[in-house]
Amino acid sequence: MSDEFSNTVSHCQFRAESSVPPESIAADCLVVFVTEGAVTSGAAAEIDRATGGLLSTLSASGEITGKKYECVPLLVAPGIAARQLLVIGLGPRSGLDCGTLYRAAATATRHLSTRPRETVVLLADGAWTTRQVEQAVAGSAVGMIGQDLYRREKKRTQFRTTIWANAPQEAVTTGTMIADGVNLARRLVNTPPDDLYPQTFSEAAASIAGRTGMEIEIWDEHQLAKERCNAILAVGRGSSRPPRLVKLTYRGPGKATGLPDLALVGKGVTFDSGGLSLKPSDGMLTMKCDMSGAAAMLGAAATIAALRLPINLVTVCGLAENMTGPAAYKLGDVITARSGTTIEIHNTDAEGRVVLADVLDVVREMEPKRIIDAATLTGACMVALGHDVAGLFTNDQSWCDVLAAAAREVGEPVWQLPMYADYDEQIRSEVADIKNVGDGRWGGAITAAKFLERFVGNIPWTHVDIAGPAFAEKPQPWIDGGGTGVLVRTLVELARGPE
Ligand code: BES
Ligand code: MN
Ligand code: ZN
């Protein structure tokens, strides 16, 4: 299994090219980005000139508008060495951000990857910041990979060579490394639950660790018992596939010692049937995505380590399959979590927080300076924020602000929800310290976060509920349906610190 998770864009070479004019590069296609209302401004002006005013003509006739993600293939274009020209809209020039560039570049390569291509040239604009070039490059490497894992006849082919014209080589290299993390997370999410379960996830993590120079520790069910991880074990008991905990350690250059600067914690429920509080079939269909938090953390850690960022990082994933087997944990059970806190189970479908209770305790013991956890935790968060926005919850406002700023920088939408102390009453239990659901369904994303808060001690912590954005049920112009790799770009940005 390990090799399947190796570098996802490895047979596709990316490079920068600034020494020759883009119109003179022989290629299957040249991709040019245009802005709304100013189709021939910036780098597009050069292509307009080279083609004898083709872009201005088509803009005047309304064939090219530059609206966001508009995709106009020009199969015959005079004056350029490439065999065709693809014009991608970016929307208005003012307010152009990294998220738009990421998606626009992905739209271009997703469109072109439906046929084999030797060489594709994408033209960066001199006005883009380094971060913007990086995110566009990342998008271009994400768009050409789709949902082909289990297809006999593949629908996409990665280009043999992708050339980013007008872009610094460093930004191209960094962008592809970011994409590797995103694509790794997507691949893990898209792998069906009968192939990806706690053990195989941990094997994938071991292969990533080997490749990127991280230390890895894997706790199997025996080690979990020794470590008193009764909560993880309880969730895993209904499955024939025992749970795992994966701990990855990365020490940045010049940081051989010292406590972790940052801990990443991921929910890795490799399949969530709901357990005895069984989900209806419709709601269960996509529940292979319930390890998206763990996948995002592994993808981010892999890129952070590959970039050799100067940070000490620990990444801990709690892996379990929530099933209904004869030993399954039951409603009314009281579990003593690793921290000693007792949890009364009111609903076995609220399993993510139970798993994370132990993972957070393991992390708390390591005394990191800050914690982030990512989890497809609640349907309630999707009710609150929809499909595209991740929910933020924190015990430390300034730490949450730092994370939100990183998300904004790379264009991943997030929105903070409150953590008022009053909500704590809702998870009070009649028989144990806490119960694993709130009173009724209202505010369910917040009561879940309140539950997690019990296990982080005084360490600044931000919880990210990615139930909405982790998985696209339908394809978008820039990405196939399935895992999105959400949060990887944000976490890498965060670990890099301000530009
Ligand atoms: N994994 C689900 C949350 C989820 C739902 C993620 C839809 C992605 C898409 C989680 O384990 C769950 O089942 N949560 C319950 C909690 C409830 C029982 C308190 C929910 O949201 O319904
Ligand atoms: Mn559940
Ligand atoms: Zn779940």
Side-chain angles (χ1 to χ4, degrees), residues 417-428:
L417 293 172
M419 289 282 276
Y420 299 125
D422 285 355
Y423 286 93
D424 285 313
E425 322 259 314
Q426 287 205 34
I427 54 171
R428 219 172 260 165

Side-chain angles (χ1 to χ4, degrees), residues 267 269 272 279 287 290 322 349-352 376-377:
K267 170 181 173 181
V269 172
D272 182 10
K279 284 185 185 294
M287 279 304 131
D290 216 15
N322 188 22
D349 197 11
E351 85 297 339
T376 46
L377 204 62

Side-chain angles (χ1 to χ4, degrees), residues 185-435:
R186 292 175 63 209
R187 183 178 190 121
L188 289 165
V189 173
N190 288 341
T191 303
D194 209 37
D195 287 343
L196 191 88
Y197 43 91
Q199 186 195 328
T200 53
F201 186 110
S202 65
E203 287 164 3
S207 120
I208 300 297
R211 214 159 34 75
T212 54
M214 290 188 277
E215 282 168 35
I216 184 166
E217 220 179 277
I218 299 173
W219 294 358
D220 64 8
E221 62 274 34
H222 310 292
Q223 189 68 26
L224 285 166
K226 271 192 206 139
E227 288 281 349
R228 311 177 321 279
C229 290
N230 301 319
I232 296 177
L233 287 165
V235 171
R237 254 176 14 215
S239 169
S240 60
R241 262 92 192 237
R244 294 284 184 272
L245 180 143
V246 169
K247 199 197 281 188
L248 295 146
T249 308
Y250 164 73
R251 288 193 183 85
K255 305 205 85 178
T257 56
L259 296 172
D261 299 301
L262 176 63
L264 302 178
V265 171
K267 170 181 173 181
V269 172
T270 56
F271 184 69
D272 182 10
S273 72
L276 292 173
S277 311
L278 195 66
K279 284 185 185 294
S281 193
D282 281 354
M284 205 189 291
L285 177 61
T286 59
M287 279 304 131
K288 68 174 181 184
C289 83
D290 216 15
M291 32 57 73
S292 298
M297 293 326 196
L298 181 57
T303 296
I304 290 167
L307 288 170
R308 311 296 310 154
L309 296 183
I311 180 180
N312 279 348
L313 177 76
V314 292
T315 305
V316 189
C317 298
L319 305 163
E321 197 180 60
N322 188 22
M323 298 292 284
T324 59
Y329 78 137
K330 302 167 190 73
L331 288 77
D333 272 350
V334 174
I335 301 157
T336 304
R338 187 175 190 274
S339 69
T341 300
T342 57
I343 304 168
E344 185 191 5
I345 301 301
H346 277 227
N347 189 320
T348 60
D349 197 11
E351 85 297 339
R353 65 198 78 180
V354 179
V355 169
L356 289 176
D358 280 348
V359 185
L360 288 169
D361 189 65
V362 168
V363 163
R364 185 192 49 75
E365 224 173 60
M366 301 166 83
E367 299 180 60
K369 296 197 187 100
R370 294 179 177 82
I371 303 175
I372 299 174
D373 81 75
T376 46
L377 204 62
T378 66
C381 198
M382 298 170 73
V383 173
L385 300 175
H387 254 298
D388 299 321
V389 183
L392 299 183
F393 309 79
T394 191
N395 64 356
D396 185 295
Q397 191 55 46
S398 55
W399 174 225
C400 186
D401 292 343
V402 172
L403 178 62
R408 205 174 315 114
E409 181 67 41
V410 298
E412 292 195 304
V414 295
W415 197 257
Q416 189 181 353
L417 293 172
M419 289 282 276
Y420 299 125
D422 285 355
Y423 286 93
D424 285 313
E425 322 259 314
Q426 287 205 34
I427 54 171
R428 219 172 260 165
S429 160
E430 298 294 332
V431 301
D433 297 330
I434 47 176
K435 59 184 165 77

